[in-house]
Amino acid sequence: MTPPSLLLFLLLVSISSNPSTKATGAGAAAESPPTPTPWPLQFHSLLYVNGSGELSVVDLWYDWPNSRNFNIIQHQLGTLLYDLEWDNGTSFYYTLDDSRHCQTYHFDVGILRPDWLDGANYLGQQRVDGFLCNVWEKVQFIWYYEDVETKRAVQWVFYTVTGGILKWSW
Ligand SMILES: *[C@@H]1O[C@H](CO)[C@@H](O)[C@H](O)[C@H]1NC(C)=O
Ligand SMILES: *[C@@H]1O[C@H](CO)[C@@H](O)[C@H](O)[C@H]1NC(C)=O
């Protein structure tokens, strides 16, 4: 459980829309393209999130063996929100401030598997935030950028179809 520090940069997030759809097109390249590195089973990372101009910093604690994923979301000049996600699809969103707000959601999919990027389409290399990255696209709405040298995630970009609120969940 070495904690790779993932630097991610999200734009809108919704993992609950159609996760089972397979990417189409883009057949196998002649030479075999690189594949995304599976996530460590447990890690802690800090994410900088930009959801359509709304900024937040997220402390992410991914814990696959214990079937949970914990996001501690600090909105810019705003709420500190706790988002605890379980692999059975239940997520609890709550605050610990005076309002003690709490909401439960159910998602049909649980948290992201460590190998959730299997089957993604390789798009080549691109420089992002000063890092040379391999880039993949999955199900036409996730673009994933991984540092070529260290194999750590540098950036994610999500596009949602439905608009809705989001959050990311892995
Ligand atoms: C966040 O994204 C918006 C576009 O949605 C962009 O205009 C803005 O510059 C971004 N902010 C940061 C800090 O990257
Ligand atoms: C899912 O697991 C969590 C943690 O054990 C539990 O609090 C929650 O009630 C469970 N949800 C369902 C639908 O069983």
Side-chain angles (χ1 to χ4, degrees):
M1 54 180 282
T2 352
S5 135
L6 304 183
L7 272 180
L8 307 183
F9 180 80
L10 300 196
L11 186 85
L12 299 183
V13 191
S14 171
I15 203 64
S16 54
S17 75
N18 238 358
S20 57
T21 312
K22 288 281 182 248
T24 53
E31 74 287 6
S32 81
T35 54
T37 305
W39 282 5
L41 299 185
Q42 293 176 316
F43 63 84
H44 173 221
S45 68
L46 198 56
L47 292 86
Y48 300 87
V49 181
N50 184 349
S52 294
E54 274 188 34
L55 303 179
S56 55
V57 172
V58 177
D59 241 317
L60 164 68
W61 300 86
Y62 179 76
D63 186 358
W64 178 254
N66 292 300
S67 307
R68 65 193 173 187
N69 187 51
F70 194 26
N71 296 314
I72 303 172
I73 306 165
Q74 177 65 66
H75 293 282
Q76 185 177 27
L77 300 184
T79 326
L80 180 60
L81 180 66
Y82 297 82
D83 163 20
L84 182 55
E85 305 168 350
W86 296 95
D87 199 39
N88 60 16
T90 299
S91 288
F92 300 107
Y93 286 77
Y94 57 95
T95 64
L96 295 176
D97 60 10
D98 289 344
S99 72
R100 299 273 158 162
H101 182 77
C102 182
Q103 205 156 349
T104 305
Y105 290 92
H106 183 81
F107 296 99
D108 288 337
V109 286
I111 64 177
L112 292 188
R113 305 179 53 84
D115 62 356
W116 66 279
L117 281 162
D118 272 8
N121 294 318
Y122 183 60
L123 300 178
Q125 297 190 333
Q126 192 179 319
R127 190 162 283 278
V128 173
D129 298 337
F131 299 95
L132 181 63
C133 296
N134 281 319
V135 185
W136 293 269
E137 161 277 319
K138 186 153 186 186
V139 297
Q140 296 287 302
F141 90 118
I142 297 167
W143 273 254
Y144 189 84
Y145 301 75
E146 182 187 282
D147 184 29
V148 167
E149 207 171 302
T150 63
K151 310 270 188 222
R152 296 184 304 185
V154 172
Q155 169 174 287
W156 275 20
V157 179
F158 280 67
Y159 296 97
T160 56
V161 221
T162 50
I165 142 113
L166 294 299
K167 69 170 236 94
W168 40 16
S169 61
W170 310 291

